[in-house]
Amino acid sequence: MDKEEIFFDFFRLKLIKNNHLFIFCLLTIISTLLCLFFVSNHSLIAHDELIYANRANLIIKSRDWFTPFSEPHHKFVGSYWLTALSLMIFGRNEFAARLPSYILSLGTLYIFYCLNKELINKKVAKLSALILSASFLWFNFSHYCSPDILFIFLNILSVFYLSKINSFSNNLVNYKLIFFSGCLFSFGFFVRSYMELLPLICFSPYIIHKLKFSNKNYLICFFLGLCVGFIPSLINLILAFIKYGDQGFLRPFSLLSQKVLEEESPLEGFLFYPRNIFLFNLPAIVFIFNGVNSIFKLKKKDAKLLFLLCPSVALALLMLTASKYTHYLLFIIPWISTLIALGIFESLSLNNTFNKIVLNIYTFLCLLLGFLLFLISLSSLFFEIQIIDLNAISKSIILIFGIFFIYFSFNIFMDWKIEKRFINIVKISFLQILLFSFLFGIGTIGNPNNEFKKFINTNITDEKKVYAIEGEIKSKNRRILSFYLKDYINYDLNNYSNNDGVVHLFLLKHKLSKINETTNLKYEKIDSYKNLYLIKLYEN
């Protein structure tokens, strides 16, 4: 049997021979969705999730979908539209806030699979989609309230449309593909503001190659697409200028300068971005050098421009900035996953010393992960060493995950058959996704403020009460309170009125002394969380 046929035999889902892989695949797909429904175990991250969620809610309350803010805003409002629509449909909760990213991640995986199949082959396409899904960074942001996955979806879909040019004999179809590609590229500005410049710069060699600038009709269609796609951003700028003046137009530019040049020390990203690409794509990232070597052997120039030049330029640009934002790497991760997929094939098909070393390093890292999970859960279950704060059932499940990682890793070491080694690498990738889904579902990841959320929810059961947030509560605490309180008023102790009646007020601990100094106010303590108090405030 041909090697390539052996490699991807498992994707054909022959239930008699590979039913265990089918079960893995099915469980993986179901688990990535179901983990979103365990809302009681989830809480939004103060920065950035609660920022996006609260701004989306402001759009809903104000019914102003372009300029809902009281002062000039630093982003185009398209960043918040999908979140606002989801909150309107499903209510204000973590599931609704995170659902758009999950749905778009599935769409992105499918388009990326199609792009890989078009430019390389079906086998690499399937494996690269699996590798991408198993990246912790990808999993995290596909279950995260932000516009980042939408941003990636738009750009990959744009590239996919460009890749289909000249696949049809009908020129009209080519013109439509080019037009829609231009639309999606420029619509990216409405979603992520001037961050869209990064993919445009990185894809420019590919765009030039595909459009063949000698063809004026292609250029016209692409330019028209860019103009049409930029219309929402233009409307946003005009309305912001009308409402806020010059700052409505200039504020987004100042954000670009701040993020790229001013926010951290110069070249702060020089080590940050390469290091995080390595860490967030372990253990499969070890195959990347084999993938780079493999892509040089491909005859298609399109594949080299996209999967090698594009991520290289993006990484180089990020390394030269003064920024340290992990989510900026999301744009690079898909192209890295294809290099990793190619590297896996290269490592298994060519029996040389370097490939053996790479495969052994991968196996060792998987084995190490398995032993860590095994020892952590074992020590918690039987020796009362509480490394993780989970119940006995959850610890037992993590123990089982550890055993599976160890078992599949040993199989790679012990079995010299290429097919068996490959299938065990695939199983480990599925197992990673299942582990991420389980940890997300039980709240070990994606749940940084659960205690704070419980403190709020246990004290706001009566909808008839008036809840308020004192003015000195800022930043993280205010974001969390704003999202989970739903209905509240902003309160200033210096401007108390007799008409306010009984108010249930969230305030900082040191403000209690101010109330004690006031002769016309009394309070009763209801509950507290760290230095934050909930009191019942009324007239003396």
Side-chain angles (χ1 to χ4, degrees):
M1 186 182 290
D2 184 72
K3 283 183 180 180
E4 290 185 351
E5 189 177 348
I6 292 173
F7 281 160
F8 269 81
D9 188 51
F10 79 94
F11 277 122
R12 296 174 187 174
L13 303 180
K14 293 181 179 179
L15 298 184
I16 296 175
K17 184 179 178 182
N18 293 309
N19 58 342
H20 53 296
L21 284 163
F22 174 73
I23 292 169
F24 258 113
C25 185
L26 190 63
L27 283 174
T28 300
I29 295 170
I30 293 172
S31 68
T32 55
L33 173 62
L34 287 183
C35 66
L36 285 169
F37 287 89
F38 293 88
V39 176
S40 61
N41 294 335
H42 298 161
S43 59
L44 297 181
I45 297 170
H47 188 90
D48 292 327
E49 285 190 291
L50 282 165
I51 293 176
Y52 285 114
N54 285 329
R55 288 171 183 168
N57 189 57
L58 179 62
I59 290 173
I60 297 170
K61 285 184 175 180
S62 66
R63 298 182 180 179
D64 184 344
W65 288 78
F66 281 97
T67 55
F69 309 103
S70 58
E71 57 186 27
H73 196 55
H74 57 278
K75 293 182 181 180
F76 292 133
V77 78
S79 301
Y80 318 110
W81 275 17
L82 273 183
T83 305
L85 288 171
S86 185
L87 293 175
M88 286 175 68
I89 297 169
F90 299 105
R92 201 190 306 186
N93 54 65
E94 293 86 354
F95 172 79
R98 289 168 168 170
L99 183 62
S101 290
Y102 177 74
I103 293 172
L104 285 163
S105 72
L106 296 181
T108 305
L109 286 170
Y110 177 72
I111 298 299
F112 190 64
Y113 159 78
C114 293
L115 180 64
N116 276 271
K117 186 174 71 170
E118 178 79 19
L119 297 179
I120 305 177
N121 59 50
K122 191 174 182 179
K123 297 180 286 295
V124 171
K126 290 175 178 177
L127 184 58
S128 60
L130 177 62
I131 296 296
L132 178 57
S133 302
S135 164
F136 176 75
L137 190 64
W138 182 264
F139 178 90
N140 188 44
F141 278 90
S142 67
H143 295 72
Y144 193 87
C145 175
S146 80
D148 294 294
I149 297 295
L150 172 58
F151 172 67
I152 306 302
F153 173 79
L154 291 172
N155 283 283
I156 289 181
L157 185 56
S158 302
V159 171
F160 176 67
Y161 280 147
L162 281 180
S163 74
K164 300 294 287 183
I165 296 173
N166 300 325
S167 299
F168 305 93
S169 57
N170 188 344
N171 274 336
L172 183 60
V173 176
N174 290 327
Y175 295 150
K176 288 180 180 178
L177 290 170
I178 294 169
F179 174 80
F180 285 125
S181 177
C183 281
L184 291 168
F185 273 130
S186 57
F187 188 74
F189 284 99
F190 190 57
V191 173
R192 288 298 278 133
S193 302
Y194 297 106
M195 183 67 183
E196 180 61 29
L197 290 172
L198 176 64
L200 280 176
I201 293 170
C202 298
F203 289 138
S204 58
Y206 182 73
I207 295 170
I208 292 169
H209 169 67
K210 294 301 291 185
L211 294 184
K212 297 174 182 174
F213 277 10
S214 58
N215 190 325
K216 292 182 180 179
N217 290 333
Y218 281 7
L219 282 176
I220 292 169
C221 288
F222 190 71
F223 180 74
L224 284 174
L226 289 174
C227 292
V228 171
F230 196 72
I231 287 174
S233 303
L234 186 62
I235 293 171
N236 199 164
L237 284 171
I238 292 170
L239 292 177
F241 178 77
I242 293 171
K243 185 173 182 177
Y244 310 116
D246 292 344
Q247 283 302 310
F249 180 78
L250 297 174
R251 190 75 172 87
F253 286 102
S254 63
L255 178 70
L256 175 67
S257 172
Q258 176 190 338
K259 297 293 184 184
V260 174
L261 301 173
E262 303 168 10
E263 193 157 70
E264 304 281 351
S265 302
L267 300 180
E268 191 70 28
F270 195 78
L271 294 177
F272 176 83
Y273 291 109
R275 181 195 68 203
N276 280 16
I277 281 183
F278 176 79
L279 291 176
F280 286 118
N281 289 280
L282 283 171
I285 191 68
V286 298
F287 292 108
I288 193 167
F289 295 110
N290 299 68
V292 171
N293 182 54
S294 181
I295 207 164
F296 275 117
K297 300 174 184 178
L298 296 177
K299 294 180 180 179
K300 286 187 176 181
K301 186 177 180 181
D302 300 43
K304 294 176 182 177
L305 288 172
L306 275 181
F307 300 110
L308 189 58
L309 184 60
C310 172
S312 301
V313 172
L315 181 58
L317 289 174
L318 289 175
M319 288 171 67
L320 294 173
T321 65
S323 65
K324 289 173 64 176
Y325 292 100
T326 303
H327 63 277
Y328 285 1
L329 291 173
L330 273 175
F331 171 70
I332 302 176
I333 296 300
W335 317 107
I336 295 291
S337 69
T338 299
L339 292 176
I340 292 171
L342 287 166
I344 291 172
F345 283 118
E346 177 95 358
S347 299
L348 292 174
S349 60
L350 298 177
N351 190 19
N352 58 44
T353 304
F354 181 75
N355 288 346
K356 287 179 181 178
I357 292 172
V358 169
L359 193 60
N360 286 338
I361 292 172
Y362 171 80
T363 310
F364 172 76
L365 290 172
C366 294
L367 198 61
L368 181 62
L369 175 60
F371 274 118
L372 283 174
L373 293 173
F374 181 81
L375 292 174
I376 288 171
S377 52
L378 199 68
S379 60
S380 298
L381 280 168
F382 300 107
F383 300 103
E384 297 183 356
I385 302 173
Q386 295 301 320
I387 299 173
I388 47 176
D389 185 19
L390 298 172
N391 58 40
I393 295 174
S394 296
K395 291 173 185 175
S396 301
I397 293 172
I398 291 175
L399 181 68
I400 294 169
F401 271 111
I403 292 170
F404 272 116
F405 270 109
I406 294 169
Y407 175 71
F408 294 146
S409 301
F410 269 119
N411 282 349
I412 298 173
F413 267 130
M414 303 302 294
D415 204 320
W416 291 97
K417 291 182 179 179
I418 294 174
E419 180 186 8
K420 293 294 181 66
R421 282 186 162 189
F422 180 79
I423 288 176
N424 280 296
I425 291 173
V426 170
K427 287 178 181 177
I428 286 172
S429 297
F430 278 129
L431 200 62
Q432 277 183 257
I433 305 168
L434 284 170
L435 177 62
F436 295 154
S437 299
F438 175 72
L439 293 175
F440 187 87
I442 63 176
T444 303
I445 57 177
N447 183 30
N449 299 300
N450 203 38
E451 293 302 316
F452 198 167
K453 174 187 169 182
K454 287 178 182 177
F455 160 67
I456 297 169
N457 286 343
T458 53
N459 289 297
I460 58 170
T461 54
D462 191 347
E463 295 182 359
K464 295 180 181 179
K465 293 178 180 177
V466 178
Y467 294 97
I469 303 175
E470 204 276 325
E472 280 196 18
I473 296 178
K474 303 292 183 183
S475 191
K476 173 184 173 179
N477 289 342
R478 178 166 286 273
R479 290 174 200 148
I480 297 171
L481 287 167
S482 298
F483 183 78
Y484 291 108
L485 279 178
K486 295 182 175 66
D487 292 316
Y488 68 93
I489 58 174
N490 292 306
Y491 204 83
D492 185 358
L493 284 173
N494 296 319
N495 297 317
Y496 176 80
S497 170
N498 293 334
N499 297 323
D500 290 343
V502 178
V503 176
H504 291 77
L505 180 65
F506 290 90
L507 79 171
L508 297 173
K509 183 179 179 180
H510 74 271
K511 299 295 289 187
L512 295 175
S513 59
K514 183 174 180 61
I515 299 175
N516 292 327
E517 295 170 1
T518 307
T519 56
N520 62 328
L521 290 177
K522 286 184 66 177
Y523 73 89
E524 296 175 14
K525 178 187 171 184
I526 298 175
D527 202 354
S528 64
Y529 173 77
K530 296 183 178 179
N531 68 331
L532 194 69
Y533 277 67
L534 173 61
I535 63 170
K536 181 179 178 181
L537 184 69
Y538 51 91
E539 187 179 4
N540 192 351

Coordinates of all heavy atoms in Angstrom, one line a residue, residues 73-130:
H73 N -13.9 57.3 20.4 CA -13.4 55.9 20.6 C -12.2 55.5 19.8 O -12.1 56.0 18.6 CB -14.6 54.9 20.3 CG -14.4 53.5 20.9 ND1 -14.1 53.4 22.3 CD2 -14.4 52.3 20.4 CE1 -14.0 52.1 22.5 NE2 -14.1 51.4 21.3
H74 N -11.4 54.6 20.3 CA -10.1 54.3 19.6 C -10.2 53.2 18.6 O -9.3 52.9 17.9 CB -9.0 54.0 20.6 CG -9.4 52.8 21.5 ND1 -10.2 53.0 22.6 CD2 -9.2 51.5 21.5 CE1 -10.4 51.8 23.2 NE2 -9.8 50.9 22.5
K75 N -11.4 52.6 18.5 CA -11.6 51.5 17.5 C -12.9 51.7 16.7 O -13.8 52.4 17.1 CB -11.7 50.2 18.2 CG -10.5 49.7 18.9 CD -10.7 48.3 19.6 CE -9.4 47.9 20.3 NZ -9.6 46.5 20.9
F76 N -12.9 51.1 15.5 CA -14.2 51.1 14.8 C -15.2 50.2 15.5 O -14.8 49.1 16.1 CB -14.0 50.6 13.3 CG -13.2 51.5 12.5 CD1 -12.1 51.1 11.7 CD2 -13.4 52.9 12.5 CE1 -11.4 52.0 10.9 CE2 -12.7 53.8 11.7 CZ -11.7 53.3 10.9
V77 N -16.4 50.5 15.5 CA -17.4 49.9 16.3 C -17.7 48.5 15.8 O -18.4 47.7 16.5 CB -18.7 50.7 16.4 CG1 -19.5 50.6 15.1 CG2 -19.5 50.4 17.6
G78 N -17.3 48.1 14.6 CA -17.5 46.7 14.1 C -16.9 45.7 15.0 O -17.3 44.5 15.0
S79 N -16.0 46.0 15.9 CA -15.4 45.1 16.9 C -16.5 44.5 17.8 O -16.3 43.4 18.3 CB -14.4 45.8 17.7 OG -13.3 46.3 17.0
Y80 N -17.6 45.2 18.0 CA -18.5 44.8 19.0 C -19.9 44.3 18.4 O -20.7 43.9 19.2 CB -18.8 46.0 19.9 CG -17.6 46.7 20.3 CD1 -17.3 48.0 19.8 CD2 -16.6 46.1 21.1 CE1 -16.1 48.7 20.1 CE2 -15.4 46.8 21.4 CZ -15.2 48.1 20.9 OH -14.0 48.7 21.3
W81 N -20.1 44.4 17.1 CA -21.4 44.1 16.5 C -21.8 42.7 16.8 O -23.0 42.4 17.2 CB -21.4 44.4 15.0 CG -21.7 45.9 14.7 CD1 -21.6 46.9 15.6 CD2 -22.1 46.4 13.5 NE1 -21.9 48.1 15.0 CE2 -22.2 47.8 13.7 CE3 -22.3 45.9 12.2 CZ2 -22.6 48.6 12.6 CZ3 -22.7 46.7 11.2 CH2 -22.8 48.1 11.4
L82 N -21.0 41.7 16.5 CA -21.4 40.3 16.6 C -21.7 39.9 18.1 O -22.6 39.2 18.4 CB -20.3 39.4 16.1 CG -20.4 39.0 14.6 CD1 -19.3 38.0 14.2 CD2 -21.7 38.5 14.2
T83 N -20.9 40.5 19.0 CA -21.1 40.2 20.4 C -22.5 40.8 20.8 O -23.2 40.2 21.6 CB -20.0 40.8 21.2 OG1 -18.7 40.3 20.8 CG2 -20.2 40.5 22.7
A84 N -22.7 42.0 20.3 CA -24.0 42.7 20.7 C -25.2 41.9 20.1 O -26.2 41.7 20.9 CB -24.0 44.1 20.1
L85 N -25.1 41.4 18.9 CA -26.2 40.6 18.4 C -26.4 39.3 19.2 O -27.5 38.9 19.4 CB -25.9 40.2 16.9 CG -26.0 41.4 15.9 CD1 -25.4 40.9 14.5 CD2 -27.4 41.8 15.7
S86 N -25.3 38.7 19.6 CA -25.4 37.4 20.4 C -26.0 37.7 21.7 O -26.8 36.9 22.2 CB -24.0 36.8 20.5 OG -24.1 35.6 21.2
L87 N -25.6 38.8 22.4 CA -26.2 39.2 23.7 C -27.7 39.5 23.6 O -28.5 39.2 24.5 CB -25.4 40.4 24.3 CG -24.0 40.2 24.7 CD1 -23.3 41.5 25.2 CD2 -23.9 39.1 25.8
M88 N -28.1 40.1 22.5 CA -29.5 40.4 22.2 C -30.3 39.1 22.1 O -31.4 39.0 22.6 CB -29.7 41.2 21.0 CG -29.2 42.7 21.1 SD -29.3 43.6 19.5 CE -31.1 43.6 19.2
I89 N -29.7 38.1 21.5 CA -30.5 36.9 21.2 C -30.5 35.9 22.4 O -31.5 35.4 22.8 CB -29.9 36.1 20.0 CG1 -30.0 37.0 18.7 CG2 -30.5 34.8 19.8 CD1 -29.2 36.5 17.5
F90 N -29.3 35.8 23.1 CA -29.1 34.7 24.1 C -29.1 35.3 25.5 O -28.9 34.6 26.5 CB -27.9 33.9 23.8 CG -27.9 33.2 22.5 CD1 -27.2 33.6 21.4 CD2 -28.7 32.0 22.4 CE1 -27.2 32.9 20.2 CE2 -28.8 31.4 21.2 CZ -28.0 31.8 20.1
G91 N -29.1 36.6 25.7 CA -29.1 37.2 27.0 C -27.6 37.5 27.4 O -26.7 37.2 26.7
R92 N -27.5 38.2 28.5 CA -26.2 38.7 28.9 C -25.5 37.6 29.8 O -25.8 37.5 31.0 CB -26.2 40.0 29.7 CG -24.9 40.7 29.8 CD -24.8 41.8 30.7 NE -25.8 42.8 30.5 CZ -25.9 44.0 31.2 NH1 -25.0 44.3 32.1 NH2 -26.9 44.8 30.9
N93 N -24.7 36.7 29.2 CA -24.0 35.7 29.9 C -22.8 35.3 29.1 O -22.6 35.7 28.0 CB -25.0 34.4 30.1 CG -25.6 34.0 28.8 OD1 -24.8 33.5 27.9 ND2 -26.9 34.1 28.6
E94 N -22.0 34.4 29.7 CA -20.7 34.0 29.1 C -20.9 33.3 27.8 O -20.2 33.4 26.9 CB -19.9 33.2 30.1 CG -19.4 33.9 31.3 CD -20.4 33.9 32.4 OE1 -21.6 33.4 32.2 OE2 -20.1 34.4 33.5
F95 N -21.9 32.4 27.8 CA -22.2 31.6 26.6 C -22.5 32.5 25.4 O -21.9 32.4 24.3 CB -23.4 30.7 26.8 CG -23.9 30.0 25.6 CD1 -23.2 28.9 25.1 CD2 -25.0 30.4 24.9 CE1 -23.6 28.2 23.9 CE2 -25.4 29.8 23.7 CZ -24.7 28.7 23.3
A96 N -23.4 33.5 25.6 CA -23.7 34.4 24.5 C -22.5 35.3 24.1 O -22.3 35.5 22.9 CB -24.8 35.4 24.9
A97 N -21.7 35.7 25.0 CA -20.5 36.5 24.7 C -19.5 35.8 23.9 O -18.8 36.3 23.0 CB -19.9 37.1 26.0
R98 N -19.3 34.5 24.2 CA -18.3 33.7 23.6 C -18.7 32.9 22.3 O -17.9 32.4 21.6 CB -17.7 32.7 24.6 CG -16.8 33.4 25.7 CD -16.5 32.5 26.8 NE -15.5 33.1 27.7 CZ -15.1 32.7 28.9 NH1 -15.7 31.6 29.4 NH2 -14.2 33.3 29.6
L99 N -20.0 32.7 22.1 CA -20.5 31.9 21.0 C -20.1 32.4 19.6 O -19.7 31.5 18.8 CB -22.1 31.9 21.1 CG -22.7 31.0 20.0 CD1 -22.3 29.5 20.2 CD2 -24.2 31.1 20.1
P100 N -20.1 33.7 19.3 CA -19.7 34.1 18.0 C -18.3 33.6 17.6 O -18.0 33.2 16.5 CB -19.7 35.6 18.0 CG -20.8 35.9 19.0 CD -20.6 34.9 20.1
S101 N -17.3 33.7 18.6 CA -16.0 33.3 18.3 C -15.9 31.8 18.0 O -15.2 31.3 17.1 CB -15.1 33.6 19.5 OG -14.8 35.0 19.6
Y102 N -16.7 31.0 18.7 CA -16.7 29.5 18.5 C -17.2 29.2 17.1 O -16.6 28.4 16.4 CB -17.5 28.8 19.5 CG -17.6 27.3 19.3 CD1 -16.5 26.5 19.5 CD2 -18.8 26.8 18.8 CE1 -16.6 25.2 19.3 CE2 -18.8 25.4 18.5 CZ -17.7 24.6 18.8 OH -17.8 23.3 18.5
I103 N -18.4 29.8 16.7 CA -19.0 29.5 15.4 C -18.0 29.9 14.3 O -17.8 29.2 13.3 CB -20.3 30.3 15.3 CG1 -21.3 29.7 16.3 CG2 -20.9 30.2 13.8 CD1 -22.6 30.4 16.3
L104 N -17.4 31.1 14.4 CA -16.5 31.6 13.4 C -15.2 30.7 13.4 O -14.6 30.6 12.3 CB -16.1 33.0 13.7 CG -17.2 34.0 13.3 CD1 -17.0 35.4 14.0 CD2 -17.4 34.2 11.8
S105 N -14.8 30.2 14.5 CA -13.6 29.3 14.5 C -13.9 28.0 13.6 O -13.0 27.6 12.9 CB -13.2 28.9 15.9 OG -14.1 28.0 16.5
L106 N -15.1 27.5 13.7 CA -15.4 26.4 12.9 C -15.4 26.7 11.4 O -14.9 26.0 10.6 CB -16.8 25.8 13.3 CG -17.0 25.2 14.7 CD1 -18.4 24.7 14.9 CD2 -16.0 24.1 14.9
G107 N -16.0 27.9 11.1 CA -16.0 28.4 9.7 C -14.5 28.6 9.2 O -14.2 28.3 8.1
T108 N -13.7 29.2 10.1 CA -12.3 29.4 9.7 C -11.6 28.1 9.5 O -10.8 28.0 8.5 CB -11.6 30.2 10.8 OG1 -12.3 31.4 11.1 CG2 -10.1 30.5 10.4
L109 N -11.8 27.1 10.3 CA -11.2 25.8 10.1 C -11.6 25.2 8.8 O -10.7 24.6 8.1 CB -11.5 24.8 11.3 CG -10.9 25.1 12.6 CD1 -11.5 24.2 13.7 CD2 -9.4 24.8 12.5
Y110 N -12.8 25.3 8.4 CA -13.3 24.7 7.2 C -12.7 25.5 6.0 O -12.2 24.8 5.0 CB -14.8 24.8 7.1 CG -15.3 24.3 5.7 CD1 -15.3 22.9 5.5 CD2 -15.8 25.2 4.8 CE1 -15.8 22.5 4.2 CE2 -16.3 24.7 3.6 CZ -16.2 23.3 3.3 OH -16.7 22.9 2.1
I111 N -12.7 26.8 6.0 CA -12.1 27.6 4.9 C -10.6 27.3 4.8 O -10.0 27.2 3.7 CB -12.3 29.1 5.1 CG1 -13.9 29.4 5.1 CG2 -11.6 29.9 4.0 CD1 -14.6 29.0 3.8
F112 N -10.0 27.2 5.9 CA -8.5 26.9 5.9 C -8.2 25.5 5.4 O -7.2 25.3 4.7 CB -8.0 27.0 7.4 CG -6.5 27.0 7.4 CD1 -5.7 28.0 6.8 CD2 -5.8 26.0 8.1 CE1 -4.3 28.0 6.9 CE2 -4.4 26.0 8.2 CZ -3.7 27.0 7.6
Y113 N -9.1 24.6 5.7 CA -9.0 23.2 5.1 C -9.1 23.3 3.6 O -8.3 22.7 2.9 CB -10.0 22.3 5.7 CG -10.3 21.1 4.9 CD1 -9.5 20.0 4.9 CD2 -11.5 21.1 4.1 CE1 -9.7 18.9 4.1 CE2 -11.7 20.0 3.3 CZ -10.9 18.9 3.3 OH -11.1 17.8 2.5
C114 N -10.1 24.0 3.1 CA -10.3 24.2 1.7 C -9.1 24.9 1.0 O -8.7 24.5 -0.1 CB -11.5 25.0 1.4 SG -13.1 24.2 1.9
L115 N -8.5 25.8 1.7 CA -7.3 26.6 1.1 C -6.1 25.6 1.0 O -5.4 25.6 0.0 CB -7.0 27.8 2.0 CG -5.8 28.6 1.6 CD1 -6.1 29.3 0.2 CD2 -5.5 29.7 2.6
N116 N -5.9 24.8 2.1 CA -4.8 23.9 2.0 C -5.0 22.8 1.0 O -4.1 22.4 0.3 CB -4.6 23.2 3.4 CG -3.8 24.0 4.4 OD1 -2.6 23.9 4.4 ND2 -4.5 24.9 5.1
K117 N -6.2 22.4 0.8 CA -6.5 21.3 -0.2 C -6.3 21.9 -1.6 O -5.8 21.2 -2.5 CB -8.0 20.9 0.0 CG -8.4 19.7 -1.0 CD -9.8 19.2 -0.7 CE -10.8 20.2 -1.1 NZ -12.2 19.6 -1.1
E118 N -6.6 23.2 -1.8 CA -6.5 23.8 -3.1 C -5.0 24.0 -3.4 O -4.6 23.8 -4.6 CB -7.1 25.2 -3.0 CG -7.0 26.0 -4.3 CD -8.0 25.6 -5.4 OE1 -9.0 24.9 -5.1 OE2 -7.7 25.9 -6.6
L119 N -4.2 24.4 -2.4 CA -2.8 24.8 -2.7 C -1.8 23.6 -2.5 O -0.7 23.6 -3.0 CB -2.4 26.0 -1.8 CG -3.1 27.3 -2.1 CD1 -2.6 28.4 -1.2 CD2 -3.0 27.7 -3.5
I120 N -2.1 22.7 -1.6 CA -1.2 21.6 -1.3 C -1.9 20.2 -1.7 O -1.8 19.8 -2.8 CB -0.7 21.6 0.2 CG1 -0.1 23.0 0.5 CG2 0.4 20.5 0.4 CD1 0.4 23.1 1.9
N121 N -2.5 19.6 -0.7 CA -3.3 18.4 -1.0 C -4.3 18.2 0.1 O -4.2 18.8 1.2 CB -2.4 17.2 -1.3 CG -1.5 16.9 -0.1 OD1 -2.0 16.8 1.0 ND2 -0.2 16.7 -0.4
K122 N -5.2 17.2 -0.1 CA -6.2 16.9 0.9 C -5.7 16.4 2.2 O -6.2 16.7 3.3 CB -7.2 15.9 0.3 CG -8.5 15.8 1.0 CD -9.5 14.9 0.3 CE -10.8 14.7 1.0 NZ -11.8 13.9 0.2
K123 N -4.7 15.6 2.1 CA -4.1 15.0 3.3 C -3.5 16.0 4.3 O -3.8 16.0 5.5 CB -3.0 13.9 2.9 CG -3.6 12.8 2.1 CD -2.5 11.8 1.7 CE -1.6 12.4 0.6 NZ -2.3 12.6 -0.7
V124 N -2.7 16.9 3.7 CA -2.1 18.0 4.5 C -3.2 18.9 5.0 O -3.1 19.4 6.2 CB -1.1 18.8 3.7 CG1 -0.6 20.0 4.4 CG2 0.1 17.9 3.4
A125 N -4.2 19.1 4.2 CA -5.4 20.0 4.6 C -6.0 19.5 5.9 O -6.3 20.2 6.8 CB -6.4 20.1 3.5
K126 N -6.3 18.2 5.9 CA -7.0 17.6 7.1 C -6.1 17.6 8.3 O -6.6 18.0 9.4 CB -7.4 16.2 6.8 CG -8.5 16.1 5.8 CD -8.8 14.6 5.4 CE -9.9 14.5 4.4 NZ -10.2 13.1 4.0
L127 N -4.8 17.3 8.1 CA -3.9 17.3 9.3 C -3.7 18.7 9.8 O -3.6 19.0 11.0 CB -2.6 16.6 8.9 CG -1.6 16.5 10.1 CD1 -2.2 15.7 11.2 CD2 -0.3 15.9 9.6
S128 N -3.5 19.7 8.9 CA -3.3 21.1 9.4 C -4.5 21.6 10.1 O -4.3 22.4 11.1 CB -2.9 22.0 8.2 OG -4.0 22.0 7.3
A129 N -5.7 21.3 9.7 CA -6.9 21.7 10.5 C -6.9 21.1 11.9 O -7.3 21.8 12.8 CB -8.1 21.4 9.7
L130 N -6.5 19.9 12.0 CA -6.4 19.2 13.3 C -5.3 19.9 14.2 O -5.6 20.1 15.3 CB -6.1 17.7 13.1 CG -5.9 16.9 14.4 CD1 -7.2 16.9 15.2 CD2 -5.6 15.5 14.1

